[in-house]
Amino acid sequence: MTGCGCRSRGVPRVLGRLAARSGATCGCRQRAWSGSLQLHMAGFGWIQGMGRLPKGMKCCWKPQILPSWLRSWGGDEDIIITIELERSGHRFYDLDPLAETTFAQLFATNGARCAAPRRAALGAAACSRFGAGADLSGVSDMIGNKFCEHPEAKDARALFCRYPPRFYAHAGICRQYAQFCPFEELKSETNPSHIDLAVVNVDAEMFYALEECGAFKSEFWIFKVFVHWCPHCQQLMPLLYRLALRLRQAKVAFLRFGAVNCATEHALCSEQGWLGHPLLVAKYLGPDQAVHGAIEHWIDVVKDAQLRQMLPRYALPGEFPVLKLLLEHLPTNLVPTVAWADLFEAPPGPSGACPNVTALHPEHPTSMEDFVGNGWHDVERNFTVRRRMTDALIMLRHIFQEWIAPVGDDGNVEAFSYRQLIDIEAWVALLIRNLPEAFAIQSFLRELHRALMIRVRAAQTKEGSSLCANEWKSLTSNLLASINDVGQKHFAFPSACASDTCRMWSLLHILASEGLRKERMGLESRPAQPHAMLSALRGFIDHFFKCHYCRRHFLRQYEEGSYGRQLAEESYEELVLYLWRFHTAVSTRVSALHSCVDSDRRWPPSSLCPSCWQPSDQSALWEVLSEAKAKTKEGQPTLRALEMSAMPNEAEILKFLESSFSEQMELQT
């Protein structure tokens, strides 16, 4: 070997460029390490047997003679070998924080070249259509139809793609969820303009026209930023629409409501930094200081330090009670209190967001009395692994097409930050290792990963590098085309999910189950280590998960180590169970939040897996139900999941999860 180098890098790998020569050895010195070392070369898998280092040994790896097959393959060409260091089973990157900061600053400086195309100035004709007081009914309807042409606006999701909401004309969803039934003000309204323009559908052209034509100088607009498959967006939809219609009926012209569907308006949402759903965005550029004061108070009260870092200044979480904090500080001559106050007085008992348990079980009425899990629909019985994989593939398309976009954490929404690049690389590496072969997109993922690693390596040179949003679209074009092709050929099955949150869980369960299968079978294509999967998952959710509530909740529970995270970092069996515990905790917490006392969202239902649950008087101590217990409102009846005492048989749960999310295990059972 003519040359050797090892240098620490702020990436999930420490890269050394080794010149392969016959019989050569190489070593590099570092500070004390206790851990194992593995070498990896693209296309050849893990080179095992490098040994575990004695504690306190001051060398990151012993000199090793390269295997003969590697020497003969390499010849005189450079071979890039990846070195992964672990300490006590955990990744450890020996990188000076100052060096990483330098890389990030240089990456951000280079990213300044990623300028967005300049928008052409609007003419007088556009302002006559979109200026303050203009009749927006025709254009709002046209934009709403565009929202609903999105390929994922199908089945139940088609009811949530635009305003006025389509679900008010759908008797089926009304029977299942009371909140989606027509309310009295809507049933008695005879003015089409009030109905159609209570909430205006807004696309990029209209938004910029409202801005440039001065509408925000005379009107205060609140934009709901959403996607139609987001369950939290769906929950907010009828509440916001009723408030907006009430104000329109009360002849409130100053406060207007708009809705931006980011499923079709990605460019606008990216440019504005609206990267979580749902959001409420305030836009007012007029002279009334009382209105500005109310907006500033709203921001100060609602946004903590984390939210200030995550969201643009005038973007807030899309929670209905948050609107009350704004309305009660707006001048009453502009927005009379009597027009809205009673809408924020929640009636006692279950909310309209609770499912009608009877409607969930049209084919198996006895399942209404399931000891565990009566809040899941009968169609659960028909879900095959391939249907769940269909949802995971749809989720992958959404991730690469819409979710992964510059967050603007370094002030630039046209370029990714250094930290985002590192987390994208780790996420793609996880997919390469843990996606089942049936997805048939691994070669395109590897192509993308190679391109990302070129950026990573360049980022740690004195010249640095960058990754623009438009370059990311180019890098992922082949992968997205492959996902569409594979979906049409091999996954033409009905979706089992109505939301991306559900699809994301399906993807995570599949990645963990496939990791467990590969680990057990000792396959040559080894999965990512459990701790590496969790690390990649945390980085991805931190930067790119679009459900604002879900992201905050996940990160809090992850950092607290809830539901057995430490065990999950060491074992794939525990990782599969950890994700199931987390998922169950989320489902039961949401039920408690809406006071859905009759609907038990523990999964799997006892009718599907009788051996998965055992009666127990210790269920109140089960950590997974702790949040649901804490969210149960004082004076409300006990949540069914807390009342019907049962503890999981996790050995049986594990078998059920494997058969539900791994095709090979499904065939064996």
Side-chain angles (χ1 to χ4, degrees):
M1 179 173 293
T2 58
C4 163
C6 254
R7 61 170 177 253
S8 298
R9 296 183 179 272
V11 292
R13 297 176 176 84
V14 180
L15 301 175
R17 181 174 287 274
L18 309 180
R21 298 289 183 182
S22 177
T25 64
C26 177
C28 49
R29 302 188 65 79
Q30 294 278 357
R31 65 181 184 177
W33 289 92
S34 172
S36 62
L37 175 131
Q38 296 174 318
L39 298 183
H40 175 266
M41 186 173 64
F44 286 90
W46 293 100
I47 305 172
Q48 300 291 345
M50 301 307 289
R52 180 167 284 275
L53 305 177
K55 189 172 183 178
M57 182 174 181
K58 293 183 180 294
C59 181
C60 68
W61 54 294
K62 298 179 182 179
Q64 296 286 334
I65 297 177
L66 294 175
S68 58
W69 63 267
L70 180 56
R71 296 199 307 272
S72 62
W73 179 85
D76 291 331
E77 297 180 10
D78 283 354
I79 300 172
I80 294 175
I81 296 182
T82 300
I83 303 169
E84 283 203 354
L85 298 172
E86 296 181 354
R87 175 178 284 175
S88 303
H90 298 274
R91 290 269 185 87
F92 191 93
Y93 313 135
D94 187 24
L95 182 70
D96 187 316
L98 182 60
E100 184 164 17
T101 300
T102 301
F103 295 151
Q105 290 173 343
L106 183 56
F107 201 80
T109 299
N110 289 338
R113 68 180 178 83
C114 307
R118 296 179 66 89
R119 292 188 305 274
L122 296 172
C127 287
S128 66
R129 293 176 62 206
F130 299 115
D135 181 4
L136 302 175
S137 55
V139 68
S140 175
D141 186 59
M142 180 182 67
I143 293 170
N145 290 337
K146 180 178 72 170
F147 289 170
C148 294
E149 289 171 359
H150 187 276
E152 295 307 319
K154 299 175 182 176
D155 304 321
R157 296 182 297 280
L159 305 178
F160 301 93
C161 54
R162 59 160 294 163
Y163 283 87
R166 289 176 164 180
F167 48 72
Y168 289 128
H170 194 280
I173 196 169
C174 173
R175 284 194 298 271
Q176 190 165 333
Y177 293 94
Q179 66 172 337
F180 301 127
C181 296
F183 50 92
E184 288 305 317
E185 295 91 338
L186 177 60
K187 288 190 286 187
S188 63
E189 180 56 65
T190 58
N191 186 336
S193 176
H194 286 174
I195 294 172
D196 294 340
L197 295 179
V199 179
V200 179
N201 300 298
V202 177
D203 63 1
E205 181 187 8
M206 181 189 285
F207 180 83
Y208 290 121
L210 292 171
E211 188 173 57
E212 295 180 28
C213 298
F216 299 149
K217 293 181 180 180
S218 57
E219 298 171 340
F220 175 22
W221 281 74
I222 297 176
F223 294 95
K224 175 196 172 186
V225 179
F226 75 108
V227 288
H228 45 264
W229 54 75
C230 160
H232 298 288
C233 304
Q234 294 170 359
Q235 298 292 328
L236 178 60
M237 198 168 204
L239 299 172
L240 181 71
Y241 183 71
R242 187 176 188 184
L243 170 64
L245 183 59
R246 273 277 200 95
L247 294 177
R248 199 154 181 84
Q249 290 171 331
K251 296 181 171 46
V252 174
F254 173 73
L255 179 58
R256 304 292 303 274
F257 289 90
V260 178
N261 189 337
C262 289
T264 60
E265 303 305 307
H266 335 137
L268 172 62
C269 295
S270 178
E271 289 169 11
Q272 298 296 319
W274 301 334
L275 301 177
H277 309 129
L279 296 177
L280 295 170
V281 177
K283 294 292 283 187
Y284 177 65
L285 302 175
D288 194 321
Q289 291 303 310
V291 175
H292 285 292
I295 295 171
E296 295 301 326
H297 174 81
W298 194 34
I299 293 168
D300 290 340
V301 170
V302 174
K303 296 179 78 169
D304 57 20
Q306 184 184 22
L307 284 174
R308 291 173 190 274
Q309 183 178 12
M310 292 168 60
L311 298 174
R313 177 164 179 76
Y314 295 105
L316 292 88
E319 303 172 14
F320 188 64
V322 163
L323 284 166
K324 181 182 179 182
L325 299 174
L326 170 67
L327 294 174
E328 62 190 6
H329 285 85
L330 287 172
T332 56
N333 63 313
L334 296 176
V335 185
T337 305
V338 68
W340 56 265
D342 64 304
L343 296 179
F344 293 89
E345 298 172 3
S351 74
C354 299
N356 180 334
V357 177
T358 302
L360 294 178
H361 303 289
E363 297 177 10
H364 303 277
T366 56
S367 295
M368 290 173 55
E369 303 303 323
D370 272 0
F371 187 61
V372 170
N374 75 334
W376 296 96
H377 202 284
D378 281 344
V379 295
E380 283 276 330
R381 298 168 183 260
N382 304 325
F383 290 168
T384 62
V385 174
R386 187 54 63 121
R387 282 190 70 177
R388 298 185 195 278
M389 291 173 73
T390 298
D391 282 310
L393 190 68
I394 293 172
M395 188 69 252
L396 286 172
R397 186 179 70 204
H398 290 176
I399 284 172
F400 286 106
Q401 184 171 284
E402 299 171 5
W403 282 31
I404 297 182
V407 177
D409 54 356
D410 60 355
N412 186 354
V413 296
E414 296 299 330
F416 292 91
S417 70
Y418 176 76
R419 187 68 257 166
Q420 291 165 27
L421 173 67
I422 300 308
D423 288 335
I424 294 170
E425 181 274 328
W427 174 252
V428 175
L430 168 64
L431 296 178
I432 291 171
R433 294 193 164 279
N434 281 47
L435 269 184
E437 292 182 3
F439 282 80
I441 60 173
Q442 278 79 354
S443 63
F444 296 95
L445 286 167
R446 291 190 184 95
E447 175 188 322
L448 174 60
H449 188 257
R450 284 192 291 270
L452 291 171
M453 287 306 300
I454 289 172
R455 306 275 176 152
V456 170
R457 293 175 190 129
Q460 295 160 359
T461 65
K462 62 181 181 181
E463 293 82 12
S465 69
S466 63
L467 178 59
C468 301
N470 59 354
E471 292 172 331
W472 170 253
K473 292 179 181 178
S474 177
L475 290 177
T476 55
S477 59
N478 289 341
L479 173 62
L480 288 168
S482 173
I483 289 174
N484 289 333
D485 184 55
V486 169
Q488 292 172 8
K489 289 181 179 179
H490 306 297
F491 293 91
F493 298 92
S495 171
C497 290
S499 72
D500 266 9
T501 311
C502 169
R503 293 191 187 100
M504 188 68 193
W505 278 116
S506 293
L507 175 60
L508 297 183
H509 290 312
I510 286 170
L511 292 174
S513 297
E514 181 66 4
L516 176 58
R517 186 187 73 84
K518 286 185 173 182
E519 184 180 72
R520 281 180 175 169
M521 298 186 69
L523 299 178
E524 184 177 347
S525 56
R526 295 171 62 84
Q529 293 296 315
H531 62 79
M533 175 173 168
L534 283 173
S535 177
L537 174 59
R538 191 217 176 278
F540 171 78
I541 287 181
D542 188 15
H543 279 118
F544 304 114
F545 198 49
K546 295 304 184 194
C547 174
H548 175 73
Y549 305 94
C550 309
R551 179 169 72 242
R552 292 192 78 189
H553 178 259
F554 174 88
L555 293 175
R556 183 176 66 250
Q557 296 299 325
Y558 183 91
E559 299 304 334
E560 292 177 357
S562 304
Y563 317 127
R565 195 201 78 197
Q566 187 172 359
L567 292 173
E569 291 176 338
E570 307 295 335
S571 156
Y572 258 108
E573 285 192 359
E574 285 294 333
L575 179 51
V576 171
L577 288 169
Y578 167 75
L579 291 173
W580 163 76
R581 294 185 201 113
F582 210 139
H583 194 174
T584 300
V586 170
S587 297
T588 54
R589 177 179 64 89
V590 171
S591 284
L593 194 63
H594 294 294
S595 301
C596 300
V597 296
D598 298 325
S599 173
D600 180 1
R601 296 282 285 178
R602 288 174 293 178
W603 190 85
S606 52
S607 56
L608 282 184
C609 184
S611 61
C612 286
W613 300 93
Q614 300 170 337
S616 171
D617 58 3
Q618 301 296 309
S619 63
L621 304 177
W622 190 31
E623 180 192 18
V624 171
L625 297 180
S626 60
E627 282 198 301
K629 189 175 182 180
K631 292 290 182 183
T632 301
K633 298 175 183 176
E634 187 176 351
Q636 292 287 350
T638 304
L639 204 68
R640 184 181 176 90
L642 300 174
E643 187 176 49
M644 304 295 284
S645 301
M647 287 291 284
N649 180 337
E650 292 199 340
E652 292 299 311
I653 293 280
L654 184 63
K655 293 177 185 177
F656 185 86
L657 291 169
E658 290 182 83
S659 65
S660 298
F661 295 101
S662 170
E663 277 194 317
Q664 286 80 358
M665 296 305 299
E666 181 185 42
L667 292 173
Q668 291 179 26
T669 56

